Amino acid sequence: MKIAVFASGTGTTLQALIDNQVYYDYQISLVVVNRVCQARERAEDSGISTLLSKDWMQIDQVLAEHQIQMIVLAGFLAIIPQWFCEKWDKKIINIHPSLLPKFGGKGMYGMHVHKAVVSAGEQQSGCTVHYVSAEVDGGSIIAQSVVPVMQDDTPDSLAQRVQQTEKKLLPQVIGDLCKH
Ligand code: GAR
């Protein structure tokens, strides 16, 4: 299955997807970024085509040129327009660093999530892979991994633990979706 990965940041999740390609039936044919970021460098270093754009019509066209079958959001920090979500219904998945529906929605991304989880005194956190709909973090859940929150956890230490599980769960889920 030919996939496109959308990213905005350091791209460690993208790197895990690149490194795991050999174990699963997916191929990253395109990386789309909406800003200059390390994720784009990682894609270029691996010889993957990249597109830097915020123009959703252009993005849609380039996806078609690369015959993309599924889109994976891996730390992509932008709101996707409704028409695009509807066109790609059940073909866009996202990884979110909490156990949705907890700690999701607008403004809840990256370290904001881990800070909120630690402040709330939660005993467990984790990550969620879900289909993307027009409602932010509101699409149906595909899979979750749970991690404990330790008493002495800081947002940073929790983020590290959650990100380790994200890097296992996301390639597995994509691999499973390839079979269907
Ligand atoms: C990941 O932890 C991902 O779950 C999170 O951003 C990080 C990206 O890190 N995504 C969200 O918060 C989306 N709501 P990376 O740039 O190193 O892959």
Side-chain angles (χ1 to χ4, degrees), residues 156-169:
D156 275 325
S157 62
L158 177 61
Q160 278 185 23
R161 193 173 312 116
V162 170
Q163 282 176 6
Q164 277 176 5
T165 67
E166 290 185 78
K167 291 176 174 86
K168 287 188 195 136
L169 184 66

Side-chain angles (χ1 to χ4, degrees), residues 7-15 39 42 73-77 94-98 103-105 108-114 127-128 130 136-137 159 162-163 166-167:
S8 305
T10 54
T12 62
T13 315
L14 166 65
Q15 191 66 53
R42 290 179 191 272
L73 309 186
F76 184 66
L77 304 180
N94 178 46
I95 180 114
H96 183 81
S98 77
F103 304 101
M108 271 293 170
Y109 59 88
M111 285 306 291
H112 297 292
V113 176
H114 305 298
C127 59
T128 302
H130 64 95
V136 179
D137 297 329
V162 170
Q163 282 176 6
E166 290 185 78
K167 291 176 174 86

Side-chain angles (χ1 to χ4, degrees), residues 66-82:
H66 284 267
Q67 299 179 313
I68 297 299
Q69 295 162 283
M70 194 201 298
I71 296 168
V72 178
L73 309 186
F76 184 66
L77 304 180
I79 304 292
I80 301 178
Q82 187 164 349

Side-chain angles (χ1 to χ4, degrees), residues 40-67:
R40 182 167 76 157
E41 288 169 32
R42 290 179 191 272
E44 285 170 358
D45 289 348
S46 296
I48 300 168
S49 299
T50 64
L51 171 67
L52 167 56
S53 179
K54 293 180 181 179
D55 176 344
W56 288 95
M57 296 289 276
Q58 183 197 23
I59 292 170
D60 194 43
Q61 192 186 324
V62 177
L63 291 169
E65 283 164 16
H66 284 267
Q67 299 179 313

